[in-house]
Amino acid sequence: VNPNPTPNPNPNPNLLPSRVAAYLRSKPFTAGAGRRALNEAAQRVGPWVQLRCKGFLANRRQHQQFGYAALQTAQAFRARVRAGGSGWAVTNAASSSSRHDGGDGGRHAFGWRDLFDAAAGWRQLSEPNDPVWWIDELPEASFRAGFGLQTPIVNGQQKVTRYYAYHGKAFAVLKAGMQRELRLPERHPRAEPNPGDGGRSGYRLRLSAAELKAAVAASTLEDAYGVVGQDFWVVTPCASTARPGEVLEGTRLTLVRKRPEVGAPAGAGTLDLGYEFTIRTASTPERWADMAAEMDAAFDALLTLAAQLESEPSANPNPNPNPNPN
């Protein structure tokens, strides 16, 4: 009705772009020598996070956050080392763990999770729209269902640009795992349910001699899938540090036949849609407890090593300055 309405005769001058720009010009960002030194150090360290592989684009903001995260975690770890055996008590309010009450009055000894909390915080700041969270702090039902992280290598007919470089090594690991034991989501005539749950978390299958021969000879995803003719995964072994001699369940390599989506036209089921070949890490409470124990042991070992290095005198703590500097 009125494509050119009369502008507001009394606009708020504080909202005008020209006023905002003028204000920003009058208040330039300033930083002392200490802040400038930290910023320069972060800029040097930041690019280390960049994967120089196909599909991974450079992002200056994420480089910067990585630099700050590296500095903060290094400073925090040094403070923990210098605190000695009694530990460095930090407030529960700064912890992501529900083991702590979160109140300002409570404190706990600084541990590996506090170290990662700093890195997670910087990662959130670098891109607020990206989901960054601790899996064990998801709702209980989601956590117990085994919320998983997934890295696709092949998705149907598509070789995933970022991760296809892993295909050769991952396929070799898949074949080796098939020779030990397969895990199946569905029943199989010779498969046994996982102990204690009646098959709710899948079934276990050891291949026959003929199937083992076929697994060894497999050269494609189709060959590997054809050994048992149904979806499966293998579990990579993970040697325990906390409990030497014990082997834990590591990550999973999963091979699934690609199926038509719900609502696909009739006849789509006859098409060869390929396979989904993925790296998956299921995070159930039991697996999380195992890995948390591993992280505790690794963190303690790192503290011990760092304390030894801290106590060793420098080879030349006060070198004579160069008498003829350039």
Side-chain angles (χ1 to χ4, degrees), residues 248-267:
L248 306 176
E249 287 196 0
T251 194
R252 300 174 178 179
L253 288 170
T254 303
L255 186 57
V256 175
R257 181 187 287 277
K258 186 83 170 177
R259 295 174 175 83
E261 296 181 0
V262 176

Side-chain angles (χ1 to χ4, degrees), residues 97-306:
S97 177
S98 58
R99 291 181 302 171
H100 310 308
D101 60 17
D104 290 332
R107 303 182 74 80
H108 65 275
F110 183 90
W112 65 266
R113 184 160 182 147
D114 300 291
L115 203 65
F116 281 90
D117 274 339
W122 282 108
R123 180 62 182 84
Q124 287 175 319
L125 288 173
S126 73
E127 180 45 78
N129 289 327
D130 284 352
V132 182
W133 66 81
W134 286 89
I135 291 174
D136 67 329
E137 295 299 330
L138 288 171
E140 184 69 17
S142 298
F143 187 29
R144 291 202 168 277
F147 183 92
L149 303 177
Q150 180 171 313
T151 302
I153 300 173
V154 175
N155 185 10
Q157 302 290 350
Q158 177 190 11
K159 298 176 180 178
V160 179
T161 301
R162 283 188 170 186
Y163 307 113
Y164 189 74
Y166 298 144
H167 183 273
K169 182 179 290 186
F171 188 66
V173 173
L174 178 78
K175 290 175 56 176
M178 292 175 68
Q179 296 169 56
R180 292 190 300 270
E181 182 181 71
L182 297 184
R183 303 291 181 89
L184 309 173
E186 305 292 340
R187 290 183 179 275
H188 184 279
R190 300 197 324 273
E192 297 180 356
N194 284 329
D197 69 0
R200 288 192 302 275
S201 63
Y203 299 82
R204 299 171 182 243
L205 174 68
R206 293 188 181 276
L207 299 180
S208 66
E211 290 168 337
L212 282 172
K213 185 176 180 180
V216 171
S219 60
T220 65
L221 296 179
E222 184 177 12
D223 291 343
Y225 191 91
V227 172
V228 290
Q230 65 184 78
D231 300 348
F232 69 89
W233 72 87
V234 300
V235 179
T236 59
C238 182
S240 173
T241 299
R243 293 162 287 184
E246 186 171 337
V247 178
L248 306 176
E249 287 196 0
T251 194
R252 300 174 178 179
L253 288 170
T254 303
L255 186 57
V256 175
R257 181 187 287 277
K258 186 83 170 177
R259 295 174 175 83
E261 296 181 0
V262 176
T270 63
L271 298 176
D272 180 10
L273 301 179
Y275 300 89
E276 293 181 357
F277 184 33
T278 57
I279 303 169
R280 298 188 185 185
T281 304
S283 297
T284 60
E286 295 76 20
R287 284 170 57 92
W288 190 275
D290 284 340
M291 294 306 166
E294 295 299 309
M295 292 298 292
D296 286 337
F299 188 72
D300 289 343
L302 185 60
L303 280 176
T304 300
L305 176 61

Side-chain angles (χ1 to χ4, degrees), residues 12-172:
N12 184 342
N14 293 325
L15 299 180
L16 292 177
S18 59
R19 293 290 183 91
V20 173
Y23 174 80
L24 292 176
R25 284 195 299 271
S26 69
K27 301 286 185 180
F29 175 76
T30 58
R35 288 187 179 182
R36 287 198 300 271
L38 285 174
N39 190 56
E40 291 169 1
Q43 289 177 345
R44 291 195 301 271
V45 174
W48 295 355
V49 75
Q50 182 67 42
L51 279 175
R52 304 190 184 281
C53 305
K54 290 182 179 179
F56 290 92
L57 303 179
N59 184 315
R60 289 180 60 190
R61 183 166 58 185
Q62 292 197 0
H63 286 185
Q64 195 74 359
Q65 67 83 15
F66 177 80
Y68 288 133
L71 292 176
Q72 184 175 349
T73 54
Q75 291 172 344
F77 184 72
R78 182 173 61 183
R80 171 61 185 87
V81 171
R82 292 181 175 177
S86 60
W88 175 31
V90 294
T91 175
N92 293 347
S95 174
S96 64
S97 177
S98 58
R99 291 181 302 171
H100 310 308
D101 60 17
D104 290 332
R107 303 182 74 80
H108 65 275
F110 183 90
W112 65 266
R113 184 160 182 147
D114 300 291
L115 203 65
F116 281 90
D117 274 339
W122 282 108
R123 180 62 182 84
Q124 287 175 319
L125 288 173
S126 73
E127 180 45 78
N129 289 327
D130 284 352
V132 182
W133 66 81
W134 286 89
I135 291 174
D136 67 329
E137 295 299 330
L138 288 171
E140 184 69 17
S142 298
F143 187 29
R144 291 202 168 277
F147 183 92
L149 303 177
Q150 180 171 313
T151 302
I153 300 173
V154 175
N155 185 10
Q157 302 290 350
Q158 177 190 11
K159 298 176 180 178
V160 179
T161 301
R162 283 188 170 186
Y163 307 113
Y164 189 74
Y166 298 144
H167 183 273
K169 182 179 290 186
F171 188 66

